[in-house]
């Protein structure tokens, strides 16, 4: 018996019945991104592993536990293709920054506003809303002129507006600030001092994190760690006056834009590159994996990766999570029925060839057409036409050949009429189809 293959664990096929909604989400997001003047960038789906380790942080869960590395070697005529040292991208920011630096985009414009749509890969334990291959719509605004609180407000409101335009009217937005790089060091120091007395109560992972990256403790799901975090008093004492003022401005701008947010002192994000504003958007209908998207400012990453001293801010939305949230909405308005305009029905060699040629003519005019290639009974073919939600069925039998005219059934109005074969050459010119 031959082996039956399955889709790899943590990945999913997007079937034809679902693709319409994916395309709608894609198109809708692109039209909002266009209104904010963001331009698309496409980078490879794999990059050097070091790029991710250096940007997301050696101690981040993604780099420590979830990287999918390419380890094999292949041979071509020129010799060996070395794939080791490369990883499937777990996110888009690092690659976009790599490309920004490599292509000297800073020389082209003072503010580079980019977006990307595509698959990302993380070796996670799969569950509902958490996959090993998932898709993000992401945005990065990078440049010497990007260090403005107005841009934080623009980027945050853009993420919310994309979701709202899709019909997700109540996404919950949480924001926080980590302050400048120095403030963040200060924050880590204060956190360490305050957690120190309870270190032994932490899970083994967090005891390790305490030394290597204390922020990770704040979002640990372990109950003992949550209890320690609840006891620790977190305040904004780590922030400089300038950082506090920056954050206040971002909040005021969001309020003026009508963006509703909640502040969360515990929100630090799982990736190391963030400074200043960080944010997360969630939807309570999603269960445990409720983050629809997240982002923030990363003012030191570009220079850390060898690029110019420029600042940046961005976010990424998870497309699978958006789909799950949309599925909870009553009668998702985004699903447009896929309909066939003309379904051709024929019965034997001769009529099939005529129908096949007429179908090609109709398609060349931009109509969606199909037929049943088995030429079964009239009943069987009408069943297929129904399944295809055909607007019109074009029947070609012996009688029709004699009259040189198609019998057309209008499936919505349940009426029937004849149409000369000749007239199929210019369907929009006929009174029946002029509006189609
Ligand atoms: P992130 O929080 O790691 O941030 O991911 C952003 C979003 O991607 C999440 O909120 C979630 O919707 C989706 N996501 C992440 N992992 C999975 C998964 N395993 N399965 C399904 N969906 C997932 C970033 O990736 C940053 N690069 C965002 C950013 C851009 N920050 C600045 N610029």
């Amino acid at each position: 018996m031959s082996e039956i293959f399955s889709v790899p664990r943590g990945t999913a096929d997007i079937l034809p019945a679902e693709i319409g909604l994916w395309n709608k989400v894609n198109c809708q997001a692109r039209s909002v991104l266009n209104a904010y003047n963001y331009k698309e960038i496409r980078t490879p789906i794999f990059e050097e592993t070091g790029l991710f380790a250096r940007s997301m942080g050696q101690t981040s869960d993604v780099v420590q536990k979830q990287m999918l590395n390419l380890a094999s070697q292949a041979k071509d005529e020129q010799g060996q293709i070395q794939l080791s040292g490369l990883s499937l991208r777990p996110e888009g920011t690092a690659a976009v920054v790599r490309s920004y630096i490599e292509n000297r985009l800073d020389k082209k414009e003072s503010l580079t506003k980019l977006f990307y749509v595509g698959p990302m890969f993380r070796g996670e334990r799969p569950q509902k809303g958490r996959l090993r291959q998932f898709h993000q719509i992401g945005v990065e605004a990078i440049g010497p002129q990007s260090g403005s609180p107005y841009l934080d407000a623009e980027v945050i409101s853009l993420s919310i507006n994309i979701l709202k335009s899709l019909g997700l009217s109540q996404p919950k937005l949480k924001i926080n600030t980590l302050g400048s790089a120095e403030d963040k060091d200060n924050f880590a120091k204060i956190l360490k001092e305050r957690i120190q007395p309870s270190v032994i109560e932490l899970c083994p992972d967090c005891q390790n994190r305490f030394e290597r990256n204390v922020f990770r403790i704040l979002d640990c799901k372990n109950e003992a760690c949550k209890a320690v975090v609840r006891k620790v008093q977190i305040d904004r004492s780590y922030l400089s006056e300038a950082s506090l003022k920056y954050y206040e401005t971002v909040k005021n701008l969001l309020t003026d834009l009508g963006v509703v947010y909640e502040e969360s002192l515990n929100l630090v994000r799982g990736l190391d590159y963030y400074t200043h504003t960080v944010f997360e958007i969630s939807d309570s209908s999603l269960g445990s994996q409720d983050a629809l998207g997240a982002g923030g400012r990363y003012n030191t990453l570009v220079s850390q990766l060898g690029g110019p001293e420029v600042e940046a801010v961005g976010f990424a939305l998870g497309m699978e999570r958006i789909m799950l949230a949309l599925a909870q909405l009553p009668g998702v308005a985004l699903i447009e029925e896929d309909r066939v305009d003309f379904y051709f029905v024929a019965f034997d060699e001769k009529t099939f060839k005529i129908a096949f040629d007429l179908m090609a003519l109709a398609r060349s005019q931009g109509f969606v057409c199909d037929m049943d290639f088995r030429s079964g009974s009239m009943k069987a073919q009408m069943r297929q036409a129904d399944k295809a939600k055909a607007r019109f069925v074009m029947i070609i039998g012996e009688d029709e050949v004699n009259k040189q005219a198609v019998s057309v059934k209008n499936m919505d109005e349940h009426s029937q009429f004849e149409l000369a074969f000749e007239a199929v050459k210019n369907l929009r010119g006929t009174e029946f189809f002029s509006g189609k």
Side-chain angles (χ1 to χ4, degrees):
M1 212 171 61
S2 62
E3 190 183 348
I4 305 289
F5 295 102
S6 318
V7 73
R9 198 162 122 76
T11 70
D13 298 318
I14 304 170
L15 296 172
E18 299 152 332
I19 206 80
L21 186 56
W22 278 79
N23 287 339
K24 278 268 159 188
V25 167
N26 205 318
C27 279
Q28 186 57 43
R30 281 167 188 271
S31 94
V32 181
L33 288 159
N34 189 37
Y36 283 73
N37 200 26
Y38 282 77
K39 306 279 185 237
E40 185 172 7
I41 182 167
R42 295 189 188 186
T43 61
I45 60 162
F46 57 86
E47 298 272 350
E48 286 183 50
T49 310
L51 171 69
F52 301 119
R54 288 252 311 273
S55 54
M56 302 167 82
Q58 283 289 2
T59 54
S60 66
D61 273 3
V62 179
V63 170
Q64 280 210 329
K65 304 182 191 162
Q66 299 167 357
M67 295 291 280
L68 293 175
N69 301 322
L70 305 181
S72 64
Q73 290 178 350
K75 263 189 186 162
D76 64 6
E77 314 82 69
Q78 276 88 44
Q80 225 152 54
I81 306 169
Q82 190 72 24
L83 293 178
S84 52
L86 299 173
S87 303
L88 292 176
R89 61 181 186 192
E91 56 116 49
T93 312
V96 169
V97 170
R98 193 263 312 132
S99 177
Y100 176 87
I101 298 170
E102 192 171 351
N103 293 296
R104 303 302 323 246
L105 297 185
D106 58 310
K107 299 280 174 233
K108 303 207 165 98
E109 49 198 347
S110 56
L111 175 60
T112 307
K113 295 174 40 160
L114 302 167
F115 79 87
Y116 48 90
V117 181
M120 307 292 160
F121 306 85
R122 296 183 191 178
E124 309 229 40
R125 202 144 34 85
Q127 66 177 84
K128 190 173 173 217
R130 189 165 73 190
L131 291 115
R132 290 183 175 166
Q133 177 179 330
F134 58 99
H135 298 77
Q136 285 185 341
I137 300 177
V139 152
E140 316 293 347
I142 315 172
Q145 280 186 13
S146 75
S148 154
Y150 280 87
L151 202 59
D152 300 55
E154 166 169 301
V155 162
I156 296 175
S157 70
L158 169 58
S159 66
I160 296 291
N161 284 341
I162 291 177
L163 295 172
K164 284 195 170 165
S165 78
L166 295 170
L168 298 170
S169 53
Q170 315 250 283
K172 193 163 140 194
L173 170 66
K174 276 194 196 164
I175 64 168
N176 192 22
T177 180
L178 303 172
S180 64
E182 298 84 68
D183 296 342
K184 200 174 159 185
D185 287 346
N186 215 357
F187 189 9
K189 215 169 101 212
I190 295 174
L191 265 182
K192 271 184 147 181
E193 278 165 19
R194 296 185 184 169
I195 292 177
Q196 176 74 61
S198 318
V199 168
I200 45 163
E201 295 163 36
L202 296 171
C203 74
D205 261 358
C206 281
Q207 296 203 9
N208 198 2
R209 287 171 179 146
F210 179 78
E211 285 307 332
R212 302 180 54 163
N213 190 341
V214 70
F215 294 120
R216 295 287 68 76
I217 298 173
L218 297 189
D219 38 41
C220 181
K221 299 276 183 279
N222 184 296
E223 286 306 324
C225 303
K226 281 192 195 166
V228 171
V229 171
R230 270 196 299 273
K231 276 193 297 187
V232 174
Q233 187 213 343
I234 300 175
D235 51 35
R236 301 223 185 277
S237 56
Y238 57 90
L239 283 183
S240 68
E241 217 166 284
S243 300
L244 196 58
K245 192 163 161 242
Y246 188 97
Y247 182 55
E248 290 299 327
T249 312
V250 174
K251 286 193 294 178
N252 290 337
L253 291 169
L254 287 176
T255 306
D256 292 347
L257 285 168
V259 176
V260 180
Y261 60 84
E262 210 178 84
E263 285 185 75
S264 167
L265 284 158
N266 278 10
L267 178 65
V268 289
R269 306 279 300 121
L271 311 173
D272 276 4
Y273 48 63
Y274 293 106
T275 52
H276 289 282
T277 320
V278 285
F279 64 101
E280 254 174 33
I281 308 163
S282 60
D283 184 312
S284 53
S285 73
L286 291 183
S288 71
Q289 301 302 312
D290 65 350
L292 281 174
R297 188 161 268 293
Y298 48 98
N299 283 350
T300 50
L301 181 60
V302 182
S303 58
Q304 255 170 37
L305 291 177
E309 290 284 338
V310 298
E311 300 172 322
V313 55
F315 68 82
L317 299 172
M319 291 186 80
E320 281 77 4
R321 307 249 174 111
I322 291 178
M323 298 300 157
L324 288 172
L326 287 175
Q328 314 280 333
L329 297 181
V332 182
L334 287 158
I335 298 183
E336 204 173 70
E337 269 196 350
D338 275 337
R339 291 193 74 174
V340 160
D341 294 315
F342 299 115
Y343 198 91
F344 286 79
V345 169
F347 305 96
D348 54 23
E349 261 315 302
K350 187 170 152 199
T351 53
F352 188 93
K353 177 69 171 77
I354 296 170
F356 193 69
D357 292 343
L358 292 175
M359 182 167 75
L361 267 179
R363 281 177 173 160
S364 70
Q365 297 160 58
F367 290 104
V368 182
C369 303
D370 214 345
M371 65 190 297
D372 183 343
F373 286 80
R374 292 164 303 178
S375 307
S377 68
M378 175 81 169
K379 204 168 146 200
Q381 293 188 64
M382 286 306 287
R383 233 188 345 257
Q384 294 305 319
D386 264 339
K387 275 197 183 159
K389 302 188 193 77
R391 294 176 209 278
F392 298 95
V393 177
M394 311 289 259
I395 303 163
I396 298 133
E398 268 307 311
D399 278 359
E400 284 78 11
V401 175
N402 291 336
K403 288 194 232 163
Q404 289 290 293
V406 189
S407 295
V408 185
K409 265 184 190 288
N410 182 329
M411 301 296 276
D412 294 335
E413 292 171 12
H414 305 289
S415 58
Q416 188 157 339
F417 56 90
E418 282 180 3
L419 185 76
F421 286 173
E422 243 337 90
V424 178
K425 280 191 190 149
N426 179 16
L427 284 164
R428 278 177 230 274
T430 67
E431 61 175 301
F432 312 108
F433 310 119
S434 53
K436 300 278 168 265

